[in-house]
Amino acid sequence: MNKIAVVGAGISGLSMANYLEKYNIDYHIYERRKKEDLAGHGFLIPQEGIEYLTQIIDPALLFKHGSFLKKYIQYSHTGKKLAEKDLNNVFAISRHSLIQLLSENISPEKITYNATVIPSDTEKGKLKHSDGAAIDAEIAIVSDGSRSRIRRNLFKDEKMRQVRENEVVNIIKNQDIAASIENDFMKFHHDQGGLTFGILKLSHDTILWYSQFDNEKYKVNEHTAENLKKYMLELFADWHPLVSSIIQQSNYENVHLWCVYELEELNPFYKDNIVFIGDAAHPLIPFTSQGVTSALKDSYILTKYLVEEHSIREAFRKYEMERKPEIEIHINNGRILLNQFLLPTDQHTDNILPISYK
């Protein structure tokens, strides 16, 4: 097989590269951003994702960089325990750690940063650099995120819509706070719905926290990073002291405000010799907690068919046929979880777990 161009050096692109390495398939990664801009925050990875991840990362090494969560515990905003559920091998890890681990098997010469890649306007299924120079590759595997520029170029009729949720994500390094909580996934809910605060312990001194907002009630997107802390301290003033202490003591230099979008309808996963994986193929809203697992499965299954099939088109067809039905389940589950998030807590169903399972 001739060389493959992988677009994007995030979780999807690096996972794909690791699977290609396993089969000695030649590739090169093109990443639009600088290497230092890829840090990010963190992820929940269910057991199935861990099974795929440990095929390309030494488990002993992986498990040193995150923590397994014992329980999911749902609280009212004042700290009253509403429900709890045991978690089966759900792993929390920072994005920085996972990017670092996935990069270890990849030679630096195989990644070009600050490289904007676009579809060729003269050759179907080919890519070129933004300056017009052609990219020599038989196949392009695109993993450039949920608002993929290449996908929008190829599928010009696609429609994306903003989801009724915005999210603030941050990491705090504080050994005292981390020592005060167990290795549980804790989530505090406002009793009127549409506002939550989640806490994931990543290590002995590091906590990932995130807050979800009904963006019709709370205009969090109108605040700068400088004003965000003040806004959140006011908004969460009467919540459990753990929540307000985390907000107060966090550094907001790298806080991420996420406006969530979804495709109204999934596009095909490929066109000509260009195929999409991860969020570039199928954006999943954060309620599913399936972004990393889906990217890993995409990478594994696409590699499998590229190895088995003589025809690129047949490999792409089988990959889409296998992955699309499961993705549609996660999209539907995500919408159900979003609708529940918007409801008062006394109207929540018994299915409290904020993870989509097929």
Side-chain angles (χ1 to χ4, degrees), residues 219-264:
K219 304 301 180 184
V220 66
N221 58 312
E222 297 176 5
H223 292 265
T224 62
E226 294 78 28
N227 294 326
L228 191 58
K229 182 175 184 177
K230 180 183 175 187
Y231 176 73
M232 291 190 67
L233 282 170
E234 291 171 357
L235 192 59
F236 291 91
D238 62 345
W239 286 49
H240 188 274
L242 176 61
V243 173
S244 54
S245 67
I246 288 174
I247 293 171
Q248 176 66 56
Q249 296 185 54
S250 291
N251 182 324
Y252 285 71
E253 184 181 349
N254 295 312
V255 70
H256 180 63
L257 175 56
W258 190 1
C259 297
V260 183
Y261 290 84
E262 67 175 358
L263 283 169
E264 289 190 8

Side-chain angles (χ1 to χ4, degrees), residues 14 36 42 62 69 84-85 93-94 101 125 128 137 139 150 152 162 179 224 244 250 266 288 303 305 320 347:
L14 293 176
E36 56 269 24
L62 174 65
L69 304 176
E84 70 175 62
K85 193 175 183 71
I93 187 170
S94 73
L101 290 168
K128 65 179 183 179
I139 297 171
I150 295 174
R152 283 183 284 161
Q162 187 170 3
T224 62
S244 54
S250 291
L266 285 176
T288 64
T303 304
Y305 287 127
E320 180 183 279
Q347 295 180 37

Side-chain angles (χ1 to χ4, degrees), residues 139-152:
I139 297 171
I141 299 174
V142 178
S143 59
D144 60 345
S146 60
R147 307 195 74 185
S148 167
R149 299 177 183 199
I150 295 174
R151 188 190 68 225
R152 283 183 284 161

Side-chain angles (χ1 to χ4, degrees), residues 78 83 169 256 261 275 308 321:
T78 56
V169 189
H256 180 63
Y261 290 84
V275 62
E308 291 178 356
M321 188 172 65

